[in-house]
Amino acid sequence: MRMRRIGVCLAVAACAALGTPAVTGVGAPQAHAADSKVLRVAVTTAVASLNPFLAYHQADTEIGRMMYEFLTAYDQTDQHPVPGLAESWQVGTDKLTWTFKIRQGMKWSDDKPITAKDVAFTYNLMLTNAVARTANGNFVSNFDTVTAPDDTTLVVRTKQPQATMLALDVPIVPEHVWASKVDKLVNYTNLDFPVVGSGPFTLVDYKPDQYVKLKANPNFWRGKATVDEVDFYHYDNTDAAAQALIKGDVDLVSKLTAAQFDTLKGKDGITTNKAVGRRFNDLIINPGAQTNTRQPIGDGNPALRDVKLRQAIAQAIDAKTLVDKSYGGYAEPGSSYIPPVFSKWSTNQQRTFDLAAANRTLDEAGYRKGPDGKRLDKEGKPLTLRLIGDSGQPTDNPNGQYLKSWLGQLGIPVDVQLVSGDKLGDVTTAGNYDLSFSTWGVNPDPDAVLTLQTCAALPDAEGKSGTTETFTCDEQYDQLYKAQLSELDEGKRVQEVKQAQQRLAELATSVTFAYPDQLEAYRSDRFSSFAVQPNPGGVITGQNGYWGYYKAVPAAAGTSSGVTPTGLVIGIVVAVVVVAGVVLLVVSRRRKSTADERE
């Protein structure tokens, strides 16, 4: 689920040299009693909404996972579906009727009982209220009916077989709290402290752009967390956050740049963790932006509607060079749409970097060169392209320059334009680009990211409400998408998912070029270990769950099995680089009015 890039911060290098943590407002980390178990996490991004029906930015969903349990969860070790509120389930012989057994004895944080009626209320609210479908409507779009015959039984009947029934990433809310909020859902902030929830932590305080504070929920059905409190403190950039870690003002940082990560290695009291990420970075190529009524929007170069031109561009991208040069080696070269961390679904089909082949593709497609060696489109006009990137993303500028050079060798001039993260989101959402850098995180079940490329993901007539990443609309791909969604045989579904990815590769509207590592660090003199996902080699930040916070082990408590280092930035990709005396901050986040990375 795509993350829109937001927020650019510029600061002179002297600020970093001073080592002063740039904490916004009154959000500075506070001192706690020596015996208190408080995990202090440095973050560099703002929360957009804590209303679970509206929360679709990854920052929001990261907090939401701590506050609300789902029907099922993802295992910490290998991310397969495990019980959540539901302790067991079965599907009927019709492949349409799913019966979930809701465990008895669970309580909301206000001591009211959690029942199947709360789950039915949540899903039915989404079925009947368009606002409630804002964040996660795709998970229930195939639902026919949802009923709770008794407090421990939930029955969901789907219109067609649905393979994602154990991957419904929908926070379940308490009916006794939310029933009165239905009519004002669009404006409800969900900030009535303490916020009633069922997850391992309860939201107790929040100041925008300053801090978020959560306390351990003693009613959590798995048992109370190993820490008493988790506090997220807002910093202006990851350089300031890294400095705060060195000084001991915070305990955990993540989304570090290669330079920051290398600097923190070997420092007393600090442990670093290079984790396998679940994110891909890609180049999106505008195939002709349009609404769901097939009305053209944006100002993309019409020549890019030709799949042969897009394929030639894909042939001219050297993923290995980008990884080695732009990412400092802290990434894997991109291949399939789904990252190799989910090896079952990933095709791992490497594109071949071949400028000679790309030139032949263009020649055969009719893009001849003029006297100056520059390509002409099929109308005889000079073929030039704009490449839009985030001015705060450290890798976008070098990546852009490499692409400019490679496409230049094809006779296609490229104008690299770096803009603020907010503007980048506005530009790409409106279809006002030729080429653009993008990034998404992928869940253990691939459906959510695959849906981004369907015709159904196109925006409405006003250019809003869509979840598309690339404005792709292809009948063959849509058929493959629908086939995998309704296939309950996992082996057959795996093949259909791989076929869908192969079709995307042929369409060349998205060219994956990197799977970045997640670079993290923590104060090992305060916390001896953290639960990572997957285990081993995984992350805390941006998990498909809450394990990292739930199982954080304070140093005095010793160690626990199967946990390793990590750090968090509430799941939003952040990086800082110092170039020519300037600190550039990038926060990667879902584009406006889109379906961010589902958690």
Side-chain angles (χ1 to χ4, degrees):
M1 308 161 270
R2 177 182 42 194
M3 300 180 71
R4 178 166 79 100
R5 286 159 180 189
I6 64 169
V8 177
C9 173
L10 300 179
V12 295
C15 293
L18 290 174
T20 303
V23 184
T24 303
V26 296
Q30 301 172 1
H32 294 276
D35 59 348
S36 67
K37 295 184 290 186
V38 179
L39 174 61
R40 302 163 301 169
V41 185
V43 300
T44 55
T45 54
V47 171
S49 176
L50 291 171
N51 179 332
F53 296 105
L54 306 179
Y56 55 80
H57 297 101
Q58 192 183 355
D60 312 344
T61 59
E62 184 86 11
I63 298 296
R65 283 186 179 277
M66 301 172 72
M67 297 168 58
Y68 299 101
E69 183 67 289
F70 296 174
L71 190 62
T72 59
Y74 295 110
D75 182 71
Q76 178 203 334
T77 300
D78 64 5
Q79 306 188 81
H80 74 274
V82 295
L85 295 182
E87 62 181 0
S88 63
W89 48 81
Q90 62 181 16
V91 59
T93 56
D94 60 0
K95 299 184 179 181
L96 302 176
T97 305
W98 288 76
T99 303
F100 295 88
K101 194 68 174 178
I102 306 303
R103 69 182 69 251
Q104 298 184 49
M106 295 184 297
K107 293 182 180 180
W108 295 100
S109 56
D110 65 353
D111 292 329
K112 298 291 194 305
I114 300 173
T115 73
K117 292 180 173 59
D118 293 302
V119 186
F121 168 80
T122 301
Y123 291 158
N124 281 314
L125 179 58
M126 295 173 69
L127 288 174
T128 58
N129 188 311
V131 175
R133 294 194 294 272
T134 299
N136 298 302
N138 62 298
F139 291 113
V140 302
S141 61
N142 185 44
F143 285 10
D144 186 15
T145 60
V146 182
T147 58
D150 56 57
D151 286 352
T152 61
T153 306
L154 177 79
V155 180
V156 179
R157 183 174 176 81
T158 61
K159 301 171 187 175
Q160 300 292 331
Q162 181 168 331
T164 60
M165 290 301 293
L166 300 183
L168 302 175
D169 294 350
V170 177
I172 303 303
V173 301
E175 181 178 11
H176 67 278
V177 172
W178 287 85
S180 62
K181 317 298 183 187
V182 173
D183 294 336
K184 54 183 179 181
L185 200 60
V186 69
N187 295 315
Y188 184 57
T189 60
N190 195 29
L191 296 177
D192 297 327
F193 304 121
V195 177
V196 179
S198 58
F201 295 92
T202 300
L203 180 66
V204 296
D205 199 4
Y206 165 61
K207 296 292 183 184
D209 298 323
Q210 297 176 13
Y211 59 77
V212 178
K213 297 186 177 184
L214 303 100
K215 290 190 175 182
N217 175 12
N219 289 345
F220 184 48
W221 72 271
R222 295 184 192 273
K224 188 178 178 182
T226 54
V227 296
D228 298 323
E229 185 173 334
V230 179
D231 296 344
F232 299 99
Y233 291 101
H234 186 271
Y235 285 79
D236 287 342
N237 53 56
T238 53
D239 188 72
Q243 290 294 325
L245 183 74
I246 293 172
K247 294 178 62 177
D249 291 337
V250 296
D251 307 309
L252 198 58
V253 298
S254 185
K255 307 300 181 184
L256 297 164
T257 64
Q260 292 166 343
F261 185 75
D262 288 340
T263 297
L264 291 174
K265 284 182 179 179
K267 285 193 175 294
D268 290 341
I270 293 177
T271 298
T272 56
N273 179 49
K274 182 175 79 72
V276 177
R278 61 183 180 90
R279 176 167 305 285
F280 65 79
N281 289 357
D282 62 338
L283 176 76
I284 57 175
I285 305 175
N286 192 338
Q290 59 181 328
T291 68
N292 55 18
T293 59
R294 306 303 186 268
Q295 294 299 310
I297 59 175
D299 63 0
N301 191 320
L304 291 171
R305 297 173 187 171
D306 183 355
V307 66
K308 290 297 183 181
L309 174 56
R310 300 198 301 269
Q311 290 173 345
I313 293 172
Q315 290 175 305
I317 298 176
D318 185 351
K320 187 177 187 306
T321 292
L322 296 181
V323 165
D324 291 342
K325 301 298 184 181
S326 299
Y327 295 84
Y330 288 114
E332 294 295 327
S335 53
S336 64
Y337 192 57
I338 297 175
V341 65
F342 303 116
S343 58
K344 176 172 63 179
W345 306 106
S346 178
T347 63
N348 196 28
Q349 182 177 354
Q350 292 284 348
R351 291 182 182 271
T352 301
F353 171 60
D354 193 333
L355 292 177
N359 270 304
R360 287 195 299 271
T361 298
L362 293 173
D363 291 340
E364 294 168 0
Y367 296 94
R368 63 183 181 85
K369 290 184 177 180
D372 58 356
K374 302 297 192 297
R375 296 278 179 180
L376 304 176
D377 65 20
K378 293 184 178 181
E379 296 182 354
K381 299 177 182 178
L383 178 58
T384 61
L385 300 174
R386 297 162 298 166
L387 170 56
I388 311 297
D390 189 334
S391 59
Q393 166 63 358
T395 57
D396 276 14
N397 183 45
N399 285 345
Q401 296 307 314
Y402 279 112
L403 264 66
K404 179 177 181 177
S405 172
W406 294 326
L407 294 185
Q409 294 177 61
L410 303 183
I412 303 176
V414 174
D415 178 18
V416 179
Q417 301 176 9
L418 299 181
V419 299
S420 71
D422 279 332
K423 185 175 181 181
L424 177 65
D426 293 337
V427 165
T428 50
T429 299
N432 294 325
Y433 68 97
D434 299 328
L435 313 172
S436 179
F437 292 124
S438 180
T439 180
W440 278 90
V442 180
N443 286 356
D445 188 283
D447 179 74
V449 73
L450 293 175
T451 193
L452 304 177
Q453 308 296 344
T454 63
C455 296
L458 294 174
D460 59 23
E462 297 180 355
K464 300 178 180 179
S465 76
T467 60
T468 185
E469 183 195 18
T470 61
F471 291 98
T472 295
C473 182
D474 177 72
E475 182 178 353
Q476 183 179 342
Y477 175 81
D478 273 19
Q479 290 302 316
L480 290 168
Y481 169 78
K482 292 175 182 177
Q484 66 81 29
L485 179 59
S486 62
E487 182 54 72
L488 299 188
D489 183 296
E490 186 176 84
K492 293 179 180 178
R493 186 182 179 218
V494 166
Q495 294 308 310
E496 288 164 347
V497 167
K498 291 184 177 181
Q499 291 171 23
Q501 292 178 81
Q502 178 58 41
R503 180 56 182 166
L504 282 180
E506 295 169 357
L507 294 171
T509 54
S510 164
V511 183
T512 302
F513 56 81
Y515 307 118
D517 294 327
Q518 188 155 304
L519 305 179
E520 308 164 323
Y522 69 96
R523 294 293 314 195
S524 46
D525 53 358
R526 281 186 44 83
F527 287 86
S528 59
S529 61
F530 290 93
V532 298
Q533 186 189 48
N535 184 31
V539 301
I540 286 179
T541 68
Q543 282 189 358
N544 291 294
Y546 38 68
W547 308 108
Y549 305 115
Y550 178 61
K551 294 184 177 181
V553 181
T559 60
S560 64
S561 175
V563 290
T564 53
T566 196
L568 173 80
V569 172
I570 311 188
I572 292 181
V573 174
V574 180
V576 172
V577 64
V578 180
V579 180
V582 177
V583 176
L584 299 177
L585 165 69
V586 61
V587 179
S588 183
R589 169 175 161 183
R590 182 174 9 200
R591 295 192 325 201
K592 192 175 294 182
S593 300
T594 63
D596 195 8
E597 175 180 351
R598 306 293 181 180
E599 288 300 314

